[in-house]
Amino acid sequence: MKIVILSTISKHHTYFINKIIKNFNSTYVIFTKVNLKKKYKVGPFYFKEENKFEDNFFKKKENISRKINKKKIIFKNVKNINSKVVEKKINHLRPDIGITFGTQLIKKNIYNLPRFGFINIHRGLTQFYRGLDSDLWPLLEKRFNRLGVTIHYIDENYDTGGILSQKKIHLKKKNEIFHLRYITTILATEILINILNKFNKKKYKLPSRKLFNRGKYKSSMPIQFKYIAEKNLNNYLKSL
């Protein structure tokens, strides 16, 4: 099975991509740039702590390399993931399935190219939270049972496609807010490998569950709200 992944360069994306390559050799990667410019401040927010934590645990997790094989990378710094150049490359590659993780919204000219379509990794539960920082908005609203991961097909809107799989995460007393990206990435990777194995075995587009109740679209969380979310999380974990 041939796979194309659209993503950005980061520690958790590198872990995810290398896990997919390890399990499915015919995997190719297009890296894009995502520049989110907001009129309000969104960070830095525990940037050093998050990187240090991920350096330690992603390295331990099955000894996955921090570097991606250059032969697997089609483009490294694409500004527009929906450009004709990208469309031409994917079309030439003729993938069975496409995966997005942490990119801008891809359009119909791209998500219709693979045989089974494109699927997205969303680090949240789409019936409650769509868009950005979906692991933080539940904390701000003290909805701790709404933390999780969704793997869904891509359509024309943000995080509204049919759901292939969804799982909640259950935090432990020792967790910190800067652990969330690691926890959700590990879970998403495990779920997705299982889904890809099904695609590989069945050789057809898998059925999905329609998203009947769309969560509100949320943009990047302002930094002052992030500290409130952290306080809410810490109080919740103390109660466990």
Coordinates of all heavy atoms in Angstrom, one line a residue, residues 36-44 132-133 137 217-226:
L36 N 0.9 30.6 11.6 CA -0.3 31.1 12.2 C 0.0 32.5 12.8 O 0.7 32.6 13.8 CB -0.8 30.2 13.3 CG -1.3 28.8 12.8 CD1 -1.6 27.9 14.0 CD2 -2.5 28.9 11.9
K37 N -0.5 33.5 12.2 CA -0.3 34.9 12.7 C -1.6 35.4 13.4 O -2.7 35.4 12.8 CB 0.0 35.8 11.6 CG 1.4 35.5 10.9 CD 1.7 36.5 9.9 CE 3.1 36.2 9.3 NZ 3.5 37.2 8.2
K38 N -1.5 35.6 14.7 CA -2.6 36.1 15.5 C -2.4 37.5 16.0 O -1.3 37.9 16.2 CB -2.9 35.1 16.6 CG -3.2 33.7 16.2 CD -4.6 33.6 15.5 CE -4.9 32.2 15.0 NZ -6.1 32.2 14.2
K39 N -3.5 38.2 16.2 CA -3.4 39.5 16.8 C -3.2 39.5 18.3 O -2.9 40.5 18.9 CB -4.7 40.3 16.4 CG -4.8 40.6 14.9 CD -6.1 41.4 14.7 CE -6.3 41.7 13.2 NZ -7.5 42.4 12.9
Y40 N -3.3 38.3 18.8 CA -3.1 38.2 20.3 C -1.9 37.2 20.5 O -1.6 36.4 19.6 CB -4.3 37.7 20.9 CG -5.0 36.4 20.3 CD1 -4.5 35.2 20.7 CD2 -5.9 36.5 19.3 CE1 -5.1 34.0 20.1 CE2 -6.5 35.4 18.8 CZ -6.1 34.2 19.2 OH -6.6 33.0 18.6
K41 N -1.3 37.2 21.7 CA -0.2 36.3 22.0 C -0.7 34.9 22.4 O -1.6 34.7 23.2 CB 0.6 36.9 23.2 CG 1.9 36.2 23.5 CD 2.7 36.9 24.6 CE 4.0 36.2 24.8 NZ 4.8 36.9 25.9
V42 N 0.0 33.9 21.7 CA -0.4 32.5 22.0 C 0.8 31.7 22.6 O 0.6 30.6 23.1 CB -0.8 31.8 20.7 CG1 -2.1 32.5 20.1 CG2 0.3 31.8 19.7
G43 N 1.9 32.3 22.7 CA 3.1 31.6 23.3 C 4.3 32.5 23.3 O 4.2 33.7 23.0
P44 N 5.4 31.9 23.8 CA 5.7 30.5 24.0 C 5.0 30.1 25.3 O 4.9 30.8 26.3 CB 7.2 30.4 24.1 CG 7.6 31.8 24.5 CD 6.7 32.7 23.9
L132 N -8.0 24.2 16.3 CA -6.7 24.3 17.0 C -6.8 24.1 18.5 O -7.8 24.5 19.1 CB -5.9 25.5 16.6 CG -5.8 25.8 15.1 CD1 -5.1 27.2 14.9 CD2 -5.0 24.7 14.5
D133 N -5.7 23.7 19.1 CA -5.6 23.5 20.6 C -6.8 22.7 21.2 O -7.3 23.1 22.3 CB -5.5 24.9 21.2 CG -4.2 25.6 21.0 OD1 -3.2 24.9 20.8 OD2 -4.1 26.8 21.1
W137 N -8.7 23.4 25.0 CA -10.0 24.0 25.3 C -10.8 23.2 26.3 O -11.5 23.8 27.1 CB -10.7 24.1 23.9 CG -10.2 25.2 23.1 CD1 -9.4 25.0 21.9 CD2 -10.2 26.6 23.3 NE1 -9.1 26.3 21.4 CE2 -9.5 27.2 22.2 CE3 -10.8 27.4 24.2 CZ2 -9.4 28.6 22.1 CZ3 -10.7 28.8 24.1 CH2 -10.0 29.4 23.1
Y217 N -15.8 25.4 16.1 CA -14.4 25.5 15.6 C -13.7 26.5 16.5 O -14.2 27.6 16.8 CB -14.4 26.1 14.2 CG -13.0 26.4 13.7 CD1 -12.2 25.4 13.2 CD2 -12.5 27.7 13.8 CE1 -10.9 25.7 12.8 CE2 -11.2 28.0 13.4 CZ -10.4 27.0 12.9 OH -9.1 27.3 12.5
K218 N -12.5 26.1 17.0 CA -11.7 26.9 17.9 C -10.4 27.3 17.2 O -9.7 26.4 16.6 CB -11.5 26.2 19.2 CG -12.7 25.8 20.0 CD -13.2 27.0 20.8 CE -14.3 26.6 21.7 NZ -14.8 27.7 22.6
S219 N -9.9 28.5 17.4 CA -8.6 28.9 16.9 C -7.6 28.7 18.0 O -7.9 28.1 19.0 CB -8.7 30.3 16.4 OG -7.5 30.6 15.7
S220 N -6.4 29.2 17.8 CA -5.3 29.1 18.8 C -5.8 29.8 20.1 O -6.3 30.9 20.1 CB -4.1 29.8 18.3 OG -3.6 29.2 17.1
M221 N -5.5 29.1 21.2 CA -5.8 29.7 22.5 C -4.9 30.8 22.9 O -3.7 30.6 22.9 CB -5.8 28.6 23.5 CG -6.3 29.0 24.9 SD -6.3 27.7 26.2 CE -7.7 26.7 25.6
P222 N -5.4 31.9 23.3 CA -4.6 33.0 23.9 C -3.8 32.5 25.1 O -4.3 31.7 25.8 CB -5.6 34.1 24.3 CG -6.8 33.8 23.5 CD -6.9 32.3 23.3
I223 N -2.6 33.0 25.2 CA -1.7 32.5 26.3 C -2.3 32.6 27.7 O -2.1 31.8 28.5 CB -0.3 33.1 26.1 CG1 0.7 32.3 27.0 CG2 -0.3 34.6 26.5 CD1 2.1 32.6 26.8
Q224 N -3.0 33.7 27.9 CA -3.5 33.9 29.3 C -4.6 32.8 29.6 O -4.7 32.4 30.8 CB -4.1 35.3 29.5 CG -5.4 35.6 28.6 CD -5.0 36.2 27.3 OE1 -3.9 36.0 26.8 NE2 -5.9 37.0 26.7
F225 N -5.3 32.3 28.6 CA -6.2 31.2 28.8 C -5.5 29.9 29.0 O -6.0 29.0 29.7 CB -7.2 31.1 27.6 CG -8.2 32.2 27.4 CD1 -9.0 32.3 26.3 CD2 -8.3 33.2 28.4 CE1 -9.9 33.3 26.2 CE2 -9.2 34.2 28.3 CZ -10.0 34.3 27.2
K226 N -4.3 29.8 28.4 CA -3.6 28.5 28.6 C -3.1 28.4 30.0 O -3.1 27.2 30.5 CB -2.3 28.5 27.7 CG -2.7 28.4 26.2 CD -1.4 28.4 25.3 CE -1.8 28.3 23.8 NZ -0.6 28.3 22.9

